[in-house]
Amino acid sequence: MGNFRKMLAAVVLAACAGTAAGQALDMAPVGDVAMPDGRRVYMMPQTTVVVDVTVVCERVVTGPYARFAQKYFGVIAPLADKEVYTLRSATLGCYDPLTAPDPVPGALPPSNTAVYGVTEHAEEFPRVLPDRRSATGSSLENAARDAAQAVFDLRNRRADLVMGDYAETVYGAGLATAVERLDRMENEYLELFFGKRIVTTYTVRYRVVPDERSRAFVVCRFREDSGLLPASDLSGEPVVLECRPQELAAKVYPPQRKRALRSDEAEYAVADRVDCRVVFDTVELGSAELPIYQYGETTVLPVR
C-alpha cells in the first residue's frame, strides 16, 4: 500500500511538471507494480482508441401502384425497393484497460427509426388496400385510378373545410381534427403510389490499438449499398483513423538513456497528446485530441 501511494505521489508531481511546461500529460507506472489490494501486476501502458461510427440507412419500399404515379400525379415514383447507407459522423475516445475498464465515450446511442408513412407495418403494405371499397374484382390500373380519384376528392373536402363551407358543423378543435384525419387518409393513398421511406440511424463501436510506427489505421469499411463492413472486407472503401502526435511528451520529458533503476526510482510511461480524426475519402467524420501512450516517452522519477 505504501509503495502504491508513493507511486501515485510521483505521478502527481510529474503531471504538475507537465502542466508547468504548458500541457498536462497523462502518466502511468511501468513494470512490476504493487496494487492496493496486495496483488502485483506488470503494467505496460497501452491506449485503445474507441471509435463510434454513426450511419443512416434509408430504405424505400415500393408502392403497388408505383408505375401509375406519373400518369395520375405527374411524378415518377420509385419502381424498385432499395437501401442507401450514408456515413453521418464519428465520435472518438480512448481508455486504458488496466486503469479504466469502461471505454470512453459512454454507452452507444440506441438505434432510431423514422418511418415516413402512416401504416402500422413499415416493412410491407396492408393486405387489404385502403382503396378497396367493394367485393367486385378490379384491374390494377382501375384500382390505381380509383385511388388517385380518392386523393383528389380528399383534397377538395379539405379545401372546403378550410374555406369554411362546413363551418356550421365543424369548427375549433373539431376542424383541426378533421383536417388531420383527411391528411392521414390522403397519405395512405399516396403511399400506394410513392411507397414508404424508412430512415434508420444506428451506431457501431470499433476499437483500434495504435502502433507507434504508424499514423493511419483502417477502422472499418463502408459501401453505400451495404453499410459498415469489417476492415478485412476489401469490397468496401476504408474508414481511416489518422493520428498526428504533437510530440509534447518528448519536449517535457526528453528521451533518457536506459540504465538500471535505483531503489528510490520508478519508471513511468508518458502519453503524448495526439490529434486524431476519422476520415472517409476526403470527408472528416469526427476528431478529438487524445492521450496515447504508444506515441509518448518513458521517464524515470524518484519515488517519495
Side-chain angles (χ1 to χ4, degrees), residues 2-22:
N3 290 338
F4 188 75
R5 288 178 177 174
K6 291 179 181 179
M7 181 176 60
L8 287 179
V11 171
V12 171
L13 290 174
C16 291
T19 304

Side-chain angles (χ1 to χ4, degrees), residues 16 27-29 42 46 55 57 65 84 88 110 129 156 167 192 202 250 257 260 270 284 299 302:
C16 291
M27 303 185 70
Y42 186 84
Q46 178 176 267
V55 176
C57 172
Y65 303 154
V84 178
R88 170 175 286 182
L129 300 178
N156 289 330
L192 299 174
Y202 65 94
R257 186 175 58 184
V270 183
E284 180 179 302
T299 188

Side-chain angles (χ1 to χ4, degrees), residues 243-262:
C243 298
R244 298 185 180 277
Q246 299 178 8
E247 300 183 353
L248 290 174
K251 295 178 182 178
V252 178
Y253 300 98
Q256 300 176 357
R257 186 175 58 184
K258 287 289 184 179
R259 61 177 176 81
L261 298 179
R262 299 195 301 265

Side-chain angles (χ1 to χ4, degrees), residues 23-225:
Q23 177 69 54
L25 300 175
D26 290 6
M27 303 185 70
V30 177
D32 190 20
V33 178
M35 304 301 290
D37 58 4
R39 296 181 299 115
R40 299 195 68 85
V41 177
Y42 186 84
M43 299 184 67
M44 182 59 68
Q46 178 176 267
T47 302
T48 299
V49 177
V50 181
V51 182
D52 290 347
V53 182
T54 299
V55 176
V56 177
C57 172
E58 180 178 342
R59 181 183 178 193
V60 175
V61 181
T62 307
Y65 303 154
R67 61 192 180 97
F68 302 108
Q70 185 176 18
K71 178 178 180 180
Y72 294 112
F73 297 100
V75 179
I76 298 177
L79 299 178
D81 295 354
K82 66 176 182 178
E83 284 186 348
V84 178
Y85 294 83
T86 305
L87 286 170
R88 170 175 286 182
S89 62
T91 304
L92 293 92
C94 65
Y95 78 109
D96 179 357
L98 290 177
T99 59
D102 295 328
V104 178
L108 292 175
S111 296
N112 178 41
T113 301
V115 181
Y116 294 85
V118 295
T119 54
E120 294 183 359
H121 301 286
E123 301 300 323
E124 59 183 11
F125 286 89
R127 293 180 181 274
V128 180
L129 300 178
D131 57 298
R132 191 67 179 269
R133 299 185 180 185
S134 70
T136 58
S138 177
S139 68
L140 187 65
E141 183 172 4
N142 289 337
R145 182 194 60 214
D146 293 342
Q149 186 59 51
V151 171
F152 300 135
D153 291 342
L154 289 169
R155 290 176 177 176
N156 289 330
R157 292 182 183 180
R158 183 172 59 233
D160 291 339
L161 282 173
V162 173
M163 296 299 294
D165 290 353
Y166 299 102
E168 295 181 357
T169 57
V170 182
Y171 56 89
L175 176 60
T177 301
V179 171
E180 188 272 333
R181 289 180 178 177
L182 289 174
D183 289 343
R184 186 166 65 248
M185 293 173 65
E186 179 184 342
N187 286 337
E188 288 186 3
Y189 281 110
L190 290 176
E191 278 187 343
L192 299 174
F193 293 91
F194 299 101
K196 295 189 215 29
R197 177 170 165 260
I198 306 164
V199 178
T200 302
T201 302
Y202 65 94
T203 302
V204 179
R205 172 163 293 169
Y206 299 93
R207 293 175 172 83
V208 179
V209 180
D211 180 351
E212 62 179 0
R213 295 182 299 273
S214 302
R215 297 294 183 268
F217 311 89
V218 177
V219 178
C220 58
R221 293 182 182 270
F222 175 81
R223 283 179 52 177
E224 288 188 352
D225 59 349

